[in-house]
Amino acid sequence: MLLYTFLISLLLVFALPLLWALSSSFKSRSDIFSYPPQPLPAPAVLDNYRTLLAEQPFWSWFVTSTVVALLSTVLAVGLCSLAGFAFAKHRFRGKTILFNIMFSSLAVPFAVIVVPLFIMIAKARLTEPYFALVVPWIAPAFGIFMMRQFAEQAVPDALLDAARIDGCTEFGLFRRVVLPLLRPALGALGVWSFLNSYNSLIWPLIVISEPGDYTLPLGIQALFGATGRQYDLVLAASVLAAVPSLLVFFLLRRQLLEGLTAGAVKS
């Protein structure tokens, strides 16, 4: 009973800001910070959403963020699974050194590499918005490490040898044998990659200069502009921006849980 009480209390602590944002997005600007605070809007109004969609380029921000997140996710899942499989099941010169360098990069904060990364992107002439936003996330070190660990446990060497004896090529081996076995980890990595790219603020803030190219986090941040802090529009935009993240989580929650708990329990 004590455990359930603790868990419910913890759930309320995490859910309260979300519920407050959802409720306040249906309030007028003057009612959002009224005292005493009203838990529910009375009356509920849609003016915040109408103003946001009519006067702000919300759909442009939404499309940019969604396309960038989807491209980043597809590329990250594909490249990380290939790299993880190579590190787990293939022998090649320098494998241990390469893996240790890649693994060590996990300890480096993103803020430390922002400037070198921007210089590399500029030198490679990849400053177009979609290239600049997608390229840094296509092969994250965490994704490669995760896929390597999962492939070592989930893909038996005997199965790979049997497929090779049957004449399967290395790419066919990866596509027909390895990928199905990595499905839980692919789902978990897909959710992580999508949310990581979709919610990114620091990197788009550096590489995007034109308002027409803004992503959702940049657009919401721009609502705190020179005309004053429009909390009503910020709350409405935040609620709408959360919809894709929730959809991705609910669609892939089974694979996410399986991927996160794989190896935690012995059969």
Side-chain angles (χ1 to χ4, degrees):
M1 186 63 184
L2 185 61
L3 177 61
Y4 288 112
T5 304
F6 172 75
L7 292 177
I8 292 173
S9 302
L10 198 62
L11 174 64
L12 290 176
V13 169
F14 285 108
L16 191 58
L18 300 177
L19 295 176
W20 181 84
L22 179 62
S23 172
S24 298
S25 69
F26 292 100
K27 296 178 182 176
S28 64
R29 184 177 298 184
S30 59
D31 290 340
I32 292 176
F33 296 108
S34 62
Y35 187 83
Q38 301 294 326
L40 297 175
V45 294
L46 294 174
D47 293 350
N48 299 336
Y49 292 94
R50 292 196 186 99
T51 305
L52 173 71
L53 299 179
E55 299 180 3
Q56 303 292 336
F58 176 83
W59 291 118
S60 174
W61 305 338
F62 179 84
V63 170
T64 301
S65 282
T66 305
V67 171
V68 167
L70 289 175
L71 287 174
S72 302
T73 301
V74 171
L75 291 172
V77 168
L79 293 177
C80 288
S81 57
L82 276 170
F85 173 56
F87 276 122
K89 298 296 178 181
H90 284 77
R91 295 180 180 178
F92 53 89
R93 182 175 297 179
K95 170 183 168 180
T96 303
I97 296 175
L98 283 175
F99 181 77
N100 288 336
I101 293 174
M102 183 275 300
F103 184 70
S104 301
S105 68
L106 289 173
V108 181
F110 181 70
V112 174
I113 64 171
V114 163
V115 173
L117 184 60
F118 178 76
I119 294 174
M120 291 172 61
I121 293 291
K123 292 284 186 183
R125 300 181 185 276
L126 296 176
T127 52
E128 289 294 324
Y130 280 99
F131 285 114
L133 292 172
V134 170
V135 168
W137 311 115
I138 60 175
F142 171 75
I144 297 173
F145 171 73
M146 177 181 175
M147 299 308 294
R148 184 254 193 186
Q149 297 301 103
F150 198 89
E152 278 194 339
Q153 298 181 10
V155 183
D157 292 335
L159 188 61
L160 299 179
D161 293 338
R164 290 189 181 103
I165 292 172
D166 288 341
C168 191
T169 63
E170 285 301 308
F171 183 74
L173 187 73
F174 174 76
R175 185 171 63 86
R176 297 174 182 173
V177 178
V178 177
L179 279 183
L181 295 174
L182 295 181
R183 191 169 56 183
L186 295 176
L189 179 60
V191 173
W192 180 85
S193 298
F194 183 89
L195 296 181
N196 197 37
S197 174
Y198 188 77
N199 296 324
S200 175
L201 173 63
I202 295 178
W203 182 245
L205 190 63
I206 292 172
V207 297
I208 300 299
S209 57
E210 297 295 330
D213 298 326
Y214 277 3
T215 58
L216 264 175
L218 278 185
I220 294 174
Q221 188 268 344
L223 294 176
F224 294 103
T227 58
R229 298 187 174 187
Q230 306 174 83
Y231 287 108
D232 49 344
L233 301 187
V234 170
L235 290 168
S238 300
V239 170
L240 292 178
V243 173
S245 300
L246 294 174
L247 285 176
V248 169
F249 174 77
F250 282 112
L251 288 175
L252 297 176
R253 66 184 187 281
R254 182 176 176 184
Q255 287 81 2
L256 176 63
L257 294 176
E258 288 179 357
L260 294 178
T261 58
V265 179
K266 291 184 178 180
S267 59

